[in-house]
Amino acid sequence: MNASIQSTPYLASAADLPKVAPQAPFPLVPQIRLYQNWLQQNRGIVFDQYPDLWRWSITDLDAFWQSIWDYFAMQSPTPHTAVLAKNAMPGAVWFPGAHVNYASQVLRHVDAAHAAGFPALIAQNEKGQHQEISWPELRRQVASMALHLKAHGVQPGDRVAAYLPNIPEAIVAFLATVSVGAVWSICAPDMGTLAVLDRFKQIEPKVLIACDGVTYGAKDYDRMAVVQELKDALPSVQHVIVHDNLGVADLASNEVAAATRFFQTTTKHGADVDAFEPMALPFDHPLWIVYSSGTTGLPKPIVHGHGGTVIVALALKILHNDVGCSYHPNSWGERFHWYSSTGWVMWNAQVGGLLNGTTCVIYDGNPGGSKDNPDWSTLWRFAAENKVTYFGAGAAFFANCQKANLDLTQCGDLSRIRALGTTGSPLSADTQNWGTQQFKRIQAQHAQAPHLHRETDGDIWWCNISGGTDFCGAFIGGNRELPQEAGVMQCRLLGCAVEAWNEAGDPVHGEVGELVCAQPIPSMPLYLWNDPNNARYLASYFEMYPAGHGRKPGGGDAPVEYGGVWRHGDWLRIGAADQGQNGGEGCVIFGRSDATINRHGLRMGTSELYSAVEALPEVIDSMVVDLEYLGRESYMPLFVVLRPGLQLTQDMKNSLNNAIKTALSPRFVPNEIFQVAEIPRTLSGKKQELPIKKLMLGQPLEKVVNKDAMANPACLDWYVTLAKQHLAKTA
């Protein structure tokens, strides 16, 4: 590994480390300010206001992304011949000629971070089991497992599938996999067997890495039978590795009980381990496959590349999320936590902290305690015990803490926390104000503590972000130099040409419109796995607006070969009609503009739920809508048509809920189930999910559906009545 690291404003080399640890709190100049200082010193570019910086970043794409490469001292043994060699969506060509590896970017921090005395990983689970992994130990385990995978025939491009919870072993396995050029894909063990197979069958993995069981909500769940089912249903798997998470693997009577144990793959020492280096791979070499579900068909297997993921993660994590390098004097001792399961893209985001030399603090378990003993202080106490400085979670987590009347001053010393991150669903102004007041009380409680972080306005800084699994990044997020407004995200992110478009495809300001991104960013998908001619990729993101429309950098139309804009599927408002507190830049996401389910931050295609429900012989037809919208409490009704003569009894409801739990996850159990005579459909037979969703959100019937295009318009009367009843209850 590299003995030292090129020094930049965000990064220090081992030789540059202070002789005496900086006094807490660290100075913490905003990372985005350090970047702008660097731009002035090294490029001679000065921007008076953030909108000017943003506009430059989406207009001069080559200059901006080259500055990110240089600022973060990205390394390649071969030079790139261009920045954006081809501006097309899809099909953008970034940094041709460059060779990188995600694992190399992580492991370049080993010497300096270890010399400063900081661990790479701190982990804890519901049972209170605590684990710390040093940077050298992380490097050794990754090298050991990488050599094990190579010995079992894993080649660049092979897929490695993981069925693991949020534990250090998952991170080690990921880094080992990608270090040898294999492609990583992970599913959470709380997902049902069919949902996992719907994903893994598509990618035909060569290796399966699984756990023997998990603990969640104070209960242990043996998963050995599921692991055997996965192995049996995946004929491409040639090697199975089982992690003894519960210690029940030896008690199983099935074939996978004899599989290689995880610890056996990470205990290797010796010269070959010491000499191991991750492979230098082309910038666009596949890194991982993640899944985002639409309203039809199987989950979309989305392929992201090494280089694009790394460069976007660095820009997002550091400049906008303001997550600092733990061993740099400006962010000395940074400890980054973002609660997530491995089934959510925020797991990928949490791991991304390592790219910056940041100590990552991870938790495996239920953040709300158990069903019998709910406790929303769990994560906060964990954060206090482990001296977390940056605390992130889904917006629903903060809302649940508020509803539970949690007093954060009673959860241990949280005064080290300087930033709160949220995503997954819109954070309401009420919940954000609650959290801000809680941290005012924490500051007062620890006013004399030497490690207390004080923001310039006296309030805790909220980094509210919105992005997606689809491009493994964020479009909208934070900026520590901009004013805060509760319930509002501060800005569009650098390099992200995000606009809100009306139905005519014109940008609107202060109005709600479709979120589009008019220029490529490096982390957009390379392609969808097994998607001939990019048919599904195009249909998912690029077919709503004409090719070339709005595609000229800086605004205006471009030739059709540029392709269409990325249409993300969210309702967005940029600024307010009166220009707003943030100079018209504050952004609000109002929920999904399509029918995809966004259940507490986890997305699932409606088709997957229908497969589970309609497999029951009693069910003829079904439809589900998710009414998550502008921070309201998630409400998801399920409508079912049953066979003639059957009634929706409580037993039938239980059967439907159990089918969803088994096939998908308990997270997707509906709030209510209604028996209906018919599911509204178009003349071509498509379920009318989006019109019913809009109807239940309060839009008039005549504006959401064309009855002439429906096969059964008479059935709408029932849904209109239900919508009125629902709106009356939520008013």
Side-chain angles (χ1 to χ4, degrees):
M1 302 298 163
N2 296 322
S4 64
I5 302 170
Q6 181 178 342
S7 182
T8 75
Y10 94 99
L11 193 77
S13 70
D16 293 335
L17 294 179
K19 304 306 178 187
V20 179
Q23 292 297 306
F26 40 77
L28 205 69
V29 176
Q31 299 290 338
I32 199 164
R33 174 50 48 193
L34 294 177
Y35 168 67
Q36 290 183 76
N37 292 344
W38 181 91
L39 277 179
Q40 181 177 1
Q41 295 162 7
N42 292 271
R43 298 290 195 269
I45 305 175
V46 179
F47 299 98
D48 293 334
Q49 298 182 23
Y50 177 77
D52 301 322
L53 173 63
W54 174 79
R55 199 164 293 108
W56 167 74
S57 77
I58 63 157
T59 303
D60 195 342
L61 300 175
D62 283 9
F64 170 69
W65 287 108
Q66 182 65 55
S67 79
I68 296 299
W69 177 286
D70 294 340
Y71 180 73
F72 291 113
M74 287 187 63
Q75 298 173 333
S76 169
T78 55
H80 51 271
T81 57
V83 177
L84 179 56
K86 180 181 179 183
N87 185 338
M89 290 201 293
V93 178
W94 292 96
F95 295 96
H99 287 74
V100 297
N101 191 299
Y102 189 108
S104 294
Q105 176 65 28
V106 169
L107 298 178
R108 68 186 293 194
H109 297 283
V110 167
D111 294 334
H114 186 61
F118 298 118
L121 297 173
I122 299 173
Q124 198 167 302
N125 61 21
E126 280 191 11
K127 297 178 178 179
Q129 295 167 329
H130 183 88
Q131 187 177 4
E132 290 194 15
I133 297 181
S134 71
W135 282 93
E137 177 63 9
L138 177 65
R139 176 173 59 188
R140 190 200 61 75
Q141 289 191 26
V142 168
S144 175
M145 189 168 196
L147 293 171
H148 175 88
L149 293 173
K150 290 182 70 174
H152 282 80
V154 174
Q155 300 290 322
D158 288 340
R159 278 76 63 207
V160 173
Y163 184 67
L164 294 168
N166 185 20
I167 53 178
E169 287 78 8
I171 296 175
V172 169
F174 159 63
L175 292 173
T177 294
V178 304
S179 71
V180 299
V183 186
W184 172 261
S185 192
I186 189 168
C187 284
D190 68 345
M191 294 178 65
T193 308
L194 294 179
V196 175
L197 288 174
D198 279 348
R199 289 154 173 77
F200 287 168
K201 275 186 175 180
Q202 296 185 73
I203 67 170
E204 299 179 302
K206 178 179 279 188
V207 176
L208 174 65
I209 306 174
C211 62
D212 64 343
V214 291
T215 302
Y216 193 84
K219 291 184 178 180
D220 290 342
Y221 297 89
D222 188 329
R223 286 290 187 258
M224 286 300 288
V226 175
V227 177
Q228 185 66 57
E229 289 181 64
L230 297 178
K231 169 66 169 61
D232 293 343
L234 296 169
S236 60
V237 170
Q238 299 176 15
H239 183 51
V240 178
I241 300 170
V242 173
H243 170 56
D244 294 285
N245 199 45
L246 288 186
V248 298
D250 288 332
L251 305 177
S253 58
N254 51 25
E255 174 197 349
V256 293
T260 300
R261 290 295 186 268
F262 192 98
F263 74 88
Q264 295 173 319
T265 72
T266 58
T267 54
K268 187 175 177 63
H269 292 75
D272 53 348
V273 171
D274 295 339
F276 176 78
E277 293 277 357
M279 296 178 65
L281 302 164
F283 190 87
D284 61 354
H285 185 85
L287 169 70
W288 55 40
I289 299 172
V290 293
Y291 305 90
S292 184
S293 299
T295 57
T296 59
L298 292 170
K300 298 190 296 288
I302 300 171
V303 185
H304 295 131
H306 275 254
T309 301
V310 168
I311 198 169
V312 169
L314 290 171
L316 165 65
K317 193 80 60 205
I318 300 165
L319 303 187
H320 284 286
N321 290 8
D322 202 54
V323 177
C325 171
S326 294
Y327 58 87
H328 192 282
N330 185 66
S331 44
W332 190 263
E334 185 88 283
R335 290 191 172 191
F336 173 52
H337 165 74
W338 200 300
Y339 176 77
S340 179
S341 79
T342 51
W344 189 21
V345 73
M346 294 313 296
W347 178 82
N348 306 68
Q350 170 77 82
V351 176
L354 296 172
L355 293 168
N356 185 32
T358 308
T359 298
C360 291
V361 185
I362 62 176
Y363 182 81
D364 176 37
N366 189 337
S370 66
K371 184 177 180 180
D372 297 332
N373 185 27
D375 180 7
W376 288 100
S377 72
T378 299
L379 270 190
W380 297 108
R381 289 184 285 103
F382 159 77
E385 291 165 8
N386 292 287
K387 299 179 174 59
V388 166
T389 60
Y390 196 110
F391 183 98
F397 168 79
F398 292 100
N400 281 318
C401 292
Q402 179 189 15
K403 291 171 190 171
N405 294 316
L406 194 62
D407 182 355
L408 296 189
T409 65
Q410 303 303 306
C411 298
D413 183 357
L414 295 171
S415 62
R416 289 179 176 83
I417 294 178
R418 63 177 188 84
L420 298 171
T422 72
T423 191
S425 57
L427 180 72
S428 71
D430 187 44
T431 297
Q432 183 167 336
N433 286 329
W434 169 84
T436 297
Q437 291 304 312
Q438 289 284 323
F439 272 85
K440 282 184 181 293
R441 296 176 61 208
I442 289 169
Q443 287 186 349
Q445 182 185 48
H446 297 276
Q448 304 306 313
H451 55 255
L452 179 66
H453 289 288
R454 296 175 179 87
E455 295 300 315
T456 55
D457 61 0
D459 289 346
I460 189 76
W461 178 60
W462 289 85
C463 182
N464 305 330
I465 66 174
S466 180
T469 301
D470 316 71
F471 64 104
C472 209
F475 282 140
I476 303 164
N479 180 332
R480 268 190 58 220
E481 295 193 323
L482 292 179
Q484 293 193 101
E485 183 179 348
V488 177
M489 288 171 282
Q490 291 173 293
C491 62
R492 291 171 281 183
L493 301 195
L494 296 177
C496 299
V498 169
E499 296 177 334
W501 281 14
N502 61 20
E503 292 183 358
D506 298 323
V508 294
H509 205 88
E511 301 176 24
V512 177
E514 284 277 357
L515 190 164
V516 303
C517 186
Q519 300 302 327
I521 61 174
S523 65
M524 283 179 177
L526 303 175
Y527 46 82
L528 306 187
W529 193 265
N530 194 24
D531 181 28
N533 301 315
N534 275 340
R536 198 175 182 199
Y537 188 15
L538 287 163
S540 297
Y541 306 107
F542 299 106
E543 288 191 346
M544 186 167 185
Y545 300 100
H549 180 70
R551 282 283 285 110
K552 183 180 178 181
D557 296 342
V560 295
E561 54 263 30
Y562 276 56
V565 298
W566 173 289
R567 180 252 182 180
H568 194 56
D570 281 340
W571 294 120
L572 167 69
R573 189 189 72 210
I574 302 168
D578 61 357
Q579 293 301 294
Q581 180 179 337
N582 293 346
E585 286 302 308
C587 298
V588 178
I589 294 288
F590 287 81
R592 295 292 296 173
S593 65
D594 60 16
T596 302
I597 300 169
N598 184 9
R599 194 69 162 159
H600 308 302
L602 298 178
R603 292 182 182 177
M604 180 70 72
T606 53
S607 60
E608 294 188 79
L609 192 142
Y610 299 149
S611 295
V613 168
E614 293 172 18
L616 297 177
E618 299 90 345
V619 179
I620 295 176
D621 203 358
S622 65
M623 184 178 72
V624 67
V625 295
D626 176 16
L627 303 189
E628 174 263 334
Y629 186 83
L630 191 55
R632 298 178 187 175
E633 185 172 358
S634 178
Y635 176 75
M636 190 177 80
L638 171 66
F639 308 101
V640 293
V641 179
L642 301 180
R643 293 196 178 280
L646 295 181
Q647 295 297 314
L648 185 63
T649 63
Q650 187 58 51
D651 286 344
M652 186 69 233
K653 290 181 180 180
N654 293 340
S655 296
L656 290 163
N657 287 335
N658 287 333
I660 294 168
K661 289 179 184 178
T662 301
L664 304 177
S665 165
R667 300 171 191 265
F668 295 98
V669 169
N671 293 87
E672 290 189 83
I673 304 176
F674 297 95
Q675 183 175 359
V676 296
E678 292 181 273
I679 298 300
R681 289 182 178 271
T682 64
L683 290 171
S684 61
K686 185 178 180 180
K687 298 179 184 185
Q688 293 279 64
E689 300 152 317
L690 190 53
I692 298 303
K693 173 180 178 175
K694 291 179 177 179
L695 185 69
M696 295 194 68
L697 287 172
Q699 296 188 38
L701 179 65
E702 61 273 14
K703 287 194 174 183
V704 302
V705 69
N706 177 7
K707 289 186 176 182
D708 293 337
M710 287 191 61
N712 52 353
C715 76
L716 290 173
D717 291 343
W718 185 91
Y719 292 92
V720 170
T721 301
L722 177 68
K724 290 178 180 177
Q725 294 171 349
H726 174 72
L727 290 166
K729 287 192 296 184
T730 57

